[in-house]
Amino acid sequence: MGLDDGDVLILIMDYLKRKQLMGTMCTLEEEAGIQSQEEIEELKTLKDLVLKGKWEEAESFLQVVEPAAKEQHNQALFVLRKQMFMELLDEGEKRPELGELVQVLKGLEELCDKAEFKELCFFLTLTDIRQQPELKHWTATGGRYTAYDAMSGILTPLFSSSAGASAARLPEGPNRLEEVLSRGVWHQA
């Protein structure tokens, strides 16, 4: 069984994602021109916009979905605006004034429940969002990828799937790269 370059890159990207090295994974994906096996053609534009932090353009993209699926639109919009808010909070010395942050929060309030909104308001009191245990390893790049992943999960059912089938030659499961490497070492022994 031989692996082509695309298979190897997909295995490496899976590994990087699992290790939460999102910036590295996104760079590899972009430079190699490799897309996730399950990528839906219509969502590639959204992915590019989110990963590059082009929030206004991403919101415009989501407007296409709104007339047909208001609930999914609102869920995806919440994920997008939450990521934008988190990045504003993470700007350190360049952090916007409280008034601007409150305006962004107001745009989130109508899209989430009270508990989520309360948590977002709590983030305003933190000097560093990584003070929250669940955000200890948060990065803007990782957050963008996670946001896109969540939006993709919300929006995928709305688009006809043009995604390719997963590569049958690759092992399934969470540790695919390690499995392929183990097989190679065992085969060499």
Side-chain angles (χ1 to χ4, degrees):
M1 166 178 113
L3 294 175
D4 64 22
D5 289 346
D7 292 339
V8 173
L9 289 169
I10 288 169
L11 290 170
I12 292 169
M13 286 171 28
D14 285 348
Y15 176 81
L16 293 170
K17 182 178 180 181
R18 202 175 71 256
K19 294 296 182 179
Q20 297 182 359
L21 298 169
M22 299 305 195
T24 305
M25 186 199 78
C26 291
T27 300
L28 176 62
E29 182 178 58
E30 184 176 328
E31 288 183 4
I34 298 290
Q35 298 295 318
S36 169
Q37 300 135 286
E38 296 160 6
E39 193 83 71
I40 291 181
E41 190 65 38
E42 291 88 344
L43 294 179
K44 287 181 183 179
T45 300
L46 179 63
K47 181 177 187 177
D48 184 57
L49 295 172
V50 171
L51 294 182
K52 291 180 179 174
K54 296 183 176 182
W55 309 124
E56 289 180 21
E57 292 97 331
E59 280 199 38
S60 293
F61 178 90
L62 292 176
Q63 293 304 318
V64 174
V65 175
E66 186 177 20
K70 184 132 178 89
E71 183 178 339
Q72 288 89 343
H73 168 266
N74 288 347
Q75 290 170 351
L77 188 58
F78 170 74
V79 171
L80 182 71
R81 287 183 180 171
K82 180 180 177 184
Q83 176 62 26
M84 183 181 79
F85 178 70
M86 298 298 283
E87 288 189 34
L88 287 172
L89 291 175
D90 192 44
E91 290 187 355
E93 296 290 323
K94 297 178 188 174
R95 187 174 177 166
E97 295 293 322
L98 185 59
E100 184 180 339
L101 292 169
V102 169
Q103 281 301 112
V104 174
L105 262 179
K106 286 181 181 179
L108 285 162
E109 185 174 17
E110 63 194 33
L111 300 171
C112 63
D113 63 35
K114 289 184 184 217
E116 288 172 314
F117 185 71
K118 186 176 179 180
E119 180 182 44
L120 293 172
C121 289
F122 171 72
F123 290 156
L124 287 174
T125 67
L126 302 174
T127 55
D128 183 353
I129 58 174
R130 288 170 199 80
Q131 290 173 312
Q132 279 298 97
E134 67 269 13
L135 298 174
K136 184 178 180 181
H137 300 289
W138 184 89
T139 64
T141 303
R144 288 176 183 183
Y145 190 85
T146 301
Y148 167 74
D149 229 16
M151 288 188 287
S152 176
I154 294 165
L155 299 173
T156 294
L158 302 178
F159 295 95
S160 60
S161 178
S162 59
S166 62
R169 300 181 327 199
L170 299 178
E172 295 297 321
N175 300 317
R176 297 184 326 160
L177 180 60
E178 291 91 335
E179 177 68 25
V180 168
L181 292 173
S182 295
R183 288 180 189 177
V185 169
W186 182 82
H187 182 68
Q188 293 292 323

